Amino acid sequence: MDGMAHSYDHPGELAAAEPIRLLAVRDTPLSVDEVFGAVGDAAAGGTALFVGTVRNHDGGAEVGALGYSAHPTVEAELRRVAEKVVADFPVRALAAVHRVGDLAIGDLAVVVAVSCPHRAEAFAACRRLIDDLKREVPIWKHQTFADGTEEWVGA
């Protein structure tokens, strides 16, 4: 962002001077509380939060192990995705963290949150953030199934 406040279709509503509050790719456990706390804003009437967890199956097969790896440009690409969301919605605050490394079933893989003046905007912005992150940010999932087969997702 250029640091300037931007007006939107709602008179009197301006985005925060720096709405992107937290962006990170980490090899340590993620915290829902940290992400939720990062998007607190007195002018936000709605906050949407999405948490992606490691599940024990995929495509009908039992997952035995899972790991995420990222391209060296991952943080720049994550920022680019976040900036597009901020440009398209009246975002007061936005945060996104993704895990890399080996994860266990039930571990948090990604946590994103967006706060906006109204709930419909918050839901839409959060949905765009997680969908674009999964589609465009160079993070790849490597799954090993209980039968010993493996697959890369997103690579």
Side-chain angles (χ1 to χ4, degrees):
M1 285 296 299
D2 55 18
M4 296 175 53
H6 296 273
S7 62
Y8 292 89
D9 295 335
H10 307 285
E13 293 179 1
L14 297 176
E18 181 49 60
I20 299 173
R21 306 278 175 86
L22 170 65
L23 296 177
V25 176
R26 299 179 175 157
D27 62 0
T28 56
L30 305 182
S31 165
V32 172
D33 289 339
E34 177 191 22
V35 173
F36 180 68
V39 298
D41 190 285
T47 299
L49 181 98
F50 174 81
V51 179
T53 56
V54 177
R55 62 183 178 267
N56 64 0
H57 68 283
D58 191 23
E62 184 180 344
V63 173
L66 184 141
Y68 286 96
S69 58
H71 189 272
T73 63
V74 67
E75 290 185 359
E77 291 300 308
L78 181 56
R79 177 158 292 278
R80 185 185 58 76
V81 164
E83 287 173 348
K84 284 190 340 186
V85 172
V86 168
D88 290 346
F89 295 91
V91 173
R92 298 297 306 176
L94 176 150
V97 293
H98 203 295
R99 181 94 184 263
V100 291
D102 295 328
L103 282 75
I105 304 303
D107 281 353
L108 305 184
V110 61
V111 183
V112 302
V114 179
S115 62
C116 292
H118 305 286
R119 74 176 173 274
E121 299 158 342
F123 278 123
C126 189
R127 177 70 182 252
R128 169 81 67 77
L129 177 60
I130 189 60
D131 286 352
D132 287 359
L133 186 159
K134 297 301 281 182
R135 184 174 49 253
E136 299 177 25
V137 175
I139 297 173
W140 306 288
K141 177 169 60 172
H142 181 241
Q143 297 184 116
T144 304
F145 297 100
D147 67 4
T149 60
E150 301 179 14
E151 84 172 337
W152 283 92
V153 180

